[in-house]
Coordinates of all heavy atoms in Angstrom, one line a residue:
M60 N 8.7 71.8 95.6 CA 8.8 70.4 96.0 C 8.1 70.1 97.3 O 8.4 70.8 98.3 CB 10.3 69.9 96.0 CG 10.5 68.5 96.3 SD 12.2 68.1 96.3 CE 12.2 66.4 96.8
S62 N 7.4 68.3 100.9 CA 8.2 67.6 101.9 C 7.8 66.2 102.0 O 6.6 65.9 101.7 CB 8.2 68.4 103.2 OG 6.9 68.4 103.7
L83 N 7.5 63.6 118.2 CA 7.9 63.8 116.8 C 8.2 65.3 116.7 O 9.3 65.7 116.1 CB 6.9 63.3 115.8 CG 7.2 63.5 114.4 CD1 8.3 62.6 113.9 CD2 6.0 63.4 113.5
A84 N 7.3 66.1 117.1 CA 7.5 67.6 117.0 C 8.7 68.0 117.8 O 9.5 68.9 117.4 CB 6.2 68.3 117.4
A85 N 8.8 67.5 119.0 CA 9.9 67.9 119.9 C 11.3 67.5 119.3 O 12.3 68.3 119.5 CB 9.8 67.2 121.3
H86 N 11.4 66.5 118.6 CA 12.7 66.0 118.0 C 13.0 66.5 116.6 O 14.0 66.3 116.1 CB 12.7 64.5 118.0 CG 12.9 63.9 119.4 ND1 14.0 64.1 120.1 CD2 12.1 63.1 120.1 CE1 13.9 63.5 121.3 NE2 12.8 62.8 121.3
T87 N 12.0 67.2 116.0 CA 12.2 67.8 114.7 C 12.9 69.1 114.8 O 12.4 70.0 115.4 CB 10.9 67.9 114.0 OG1 10.2 66.7 113.9 CG2 11.1 68.5 112.5
P88 N 14.1 69.2 114.1 CA 14.8 70.5 114.1 C 14.0 71.5 113.3 O 13.9 71.4 112.0 CB 16.2 70.2 113.5 CG 16.0 68.9 112.8 CD 14.8 68.2 113.4
A89 N 13.4 72.5 113.9 CA 12.5 73.4 113.2 C 12.4 74.7 113.9 O 12.4 74.7 115.2 CB 11.1 72.9 113.0
D90 N 12.4 75.8 113.2 CA 12.2 77.2 113.8 C 10.8 77.7 113.6 O 10.5 78.8 114.1 CB 13.3 78.1 113.2 CG 14.7 77.8 113.6 OD1 14.9 77.3 114.8 OD2 15.6 77.8 112.7
R91 N 10.0 77.1 112.7 CA 8.7 77.6 112.4 C 7.9 76.4 111.9 O 8.4 75.3 111.6 CB 8.8 78.6 111.3 CG 9.4 78.2 110.0 CD 9.7 79.4 109.1 NE 10.2 78.9 107.8 CZ 9.8 79.3 106.6 NH1 8.7 80.1 106.5 NH2 10.3 78.8 105.5
D92 N 6.6 76.6 111.8 CA 5.6 75.5 111.5 C 6.0 74.8 110.2 O 6.0 73.6 110.1 CB 4.2 76.1 111.3 CG 3.6 76.6 112.6 OD1 4.1 76.3 113.6 OD2 2.5 77.3 112.5
Q93 N 6.4 75.6 109.2 CA 6.7 75.1 107.9 C 7.9 74.2 107.8 O 8.1 73.5 106.8 CB 6.9 76.3 106.9 CG 5.6 77.1 106.6 CD 5.2 78.0 107.8 OE1 6.1 78.3 108.6 NE2 4.0 78.5 107.8
E94 N 8.7 74.1 108.9 CA 9.9 73.3 108.9 C 9.6 71.9 109.5 O 10.5 71.1 109.6 CB 11.0 74.0 109.5 CG 11.5 75.3 108.7 CD 12.5 76.1 109.5 OE1 12.8 75.8 110.6 OE2 13.1 77.0 108.9
H95 N 8.4 71.7 110.0 CA 8.1 70.5 110.7 C 7.7 69.4 109.6 O 7.6 69.7 108.5 CB 7.0 70.6 111.7 CG 7.4 71.2 113.0 ND1 7.9 70.4 114.0 CD2 7.6 72.4 113.5 CE1 8.2 71.1 115.1 NE2 8.1 72.4 114.7
I96 N 7.6 68.2 110.1 CA 7.4 67.0 109.2 C 5.9 67.0 108.9 O 5.0 66.9 109.8 CB 7.9 65.7 109.8 CG1 9.4 65.7 109.9 CG2 7.4 64.5 109.0 CD1 10.0 64.6 110.7
A97 N 5.5 66.9 107.6 CA 4.2 66.7 107.2 C 3.7 65.3 107.6 O 4.4 64.3 107.4 CB 4.0 66.9 105.7
R291 N 14.7 63.3 107.5 CA 15.6 64.4 107.4 C 17.0 64.1 107.2 O 17.9 65.0 107.2 CB 15.4 65.2 108.7 CG 14.1 65.9 108.9 CD 13.8 67.0 107.8 NE 12.5 67.5 107.8 CZ 12.1 68.5 108.6 NH1 12.9 69.1 109.4 NH2 10.9 69.0 108.5

Side-chain angles (χ1 to χ4, degrees):
M60 180 178 177
S62 60
L83 180 73
H86 286 296
T87 302
D90 295 319
R91 56 189 185 132
D92 292 347
Q93 291 75 17
E94 294 174 352
H95 278 272
I96 293 171
R291 291 294 172 88

